[in-house]
């Protein structure tokens, strides 16, 4: 989106965009979806980290503890 910033994080907490209807819950492993939004990850696939909370329905953001695997 024009005007947005790109942050590169290799460790720590950061907010990422996700679909508010994705059903992401605290503790879920997350992966990067084809559209760039965070999605629930699988046990076998590469993930970016764990959700710290649910997706905010207003902003579409979720706090993620980055833990690349």
């Amino acid at each position: 989106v024009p005007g947005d910033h790109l942050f590169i994080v290799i460790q720590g907490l950061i907010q990422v965009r996700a679909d508010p209807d994705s059903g992401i819950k605290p503790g879920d492993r997350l992966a990067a979806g084809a559209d760039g939004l965070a999605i629930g990850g699988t046990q076998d696939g590469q993930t970016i980290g764990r959700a710290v909370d649910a997706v905010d329905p207003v902003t579409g953001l979720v706090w993620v503890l980055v833990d690349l695997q």
Side-chain angles (χ1 to χ4, degrees):
V1 177
D4 278 353
H5 293 87
L6 173 66
F7 295 98
I8 299 175
V9 175
I10 58 171
Q11 181 179 353
L13 285 170
I14 191 161
Q15 287 184 302
V16 299
R17 292 192 189 281
D19 181 353
D21 298 323
S22 63
I24 294 173
K25 302 177 300 300
D28 286 354
R29 297 231 30 105
L30 302 178
D35 56 3
L37 298 177
I39 59 171
T42 64
Q43 295 293 341
D44 300 332
Q46 186 175 12
T47 59
I48 58 173
R50 289 194 185 270
V52 176
D53 58 6
V55 180
D56 183 301
V58 176
T59 64
L61 297 173
V62 61
W63 281 101
V64 176
L65 179 59
V66 175
D67 175 22
L68 301 175
Q69 290 190 359

